[in-house]
Amino acid sequence: MLAQRLMWIAWPAFLAASVIEMLVFAVVDPQDLQWFGHPLAMSRQGVYTLAFFVFWILTMASSALTTLLSMSPFEVNRCPLPLDARPEGCPKEGGC
């Protein structure tokens, strides 16, 4: 289930980051970018690569938040311990 959720987060974020990358760099030339008044000391390809990973991380955070908010209360509150390893007073069913 964890691998499936990771793909729910990573794949849509990858697609969104790709679209954002195309839209941003259709308008912005990486050679015109400046950092604190100084031109970037990176090649165009380096700027494209760095920007893509920044966009991907930001969209993954958005997808992760959506996945977290879509979880049911049972999934959020369930006890991860097996029945025989639960502490005293922990409910036998549901959350710990």
Side-chain angles (χ1 to χ4, degrees):
M1 186 67 173
L2 180 63
Q4 184 180 23
R5 286 213 177 152
L6 287 175
M7 287 310 298
W8 289 348
I9 294 168
W11 181 242
F14 178 84
L15 295 177
S18 299
V19 171
I20 294 169
E21 176 94 1
M22 287 185 277
L23 292 175
V24 167
F25 289 112
V27 178
V28 176
D29 181 10
Q31 295 299 311
D32 294 338
L33 296 176
Q34 294 188 5
W35 186 259
F36 295 109
H38 301 287
L40 291 177
M42 294 176 70
S43 67
R44 277 190 168 110
Q45 188 174 8
V47 173
Y48 292 143
T49 303
L50 180 65
F52 174 77
F53 284 111
V54 168
F55 296 149
W56 196 11
I57 289 168
L58 291 173
T59 54
M60 279 178 42
S62 174
S63 293
L65 182 60
T66 301
T67 303
L68 175 69
L69 293 174
S70 71
M71 293 173 68
S72 72
F74 174 75
E75 290 175 296
V76 173
N77 296 322
R78 71 183 163 97
C79 186
L81 300 173
L83 288 176
D84 58 344
R86 293 182 181 178
E88 187 68 35
C90 181
K92 295 298 179 194
E93 294 182 35
C96 217

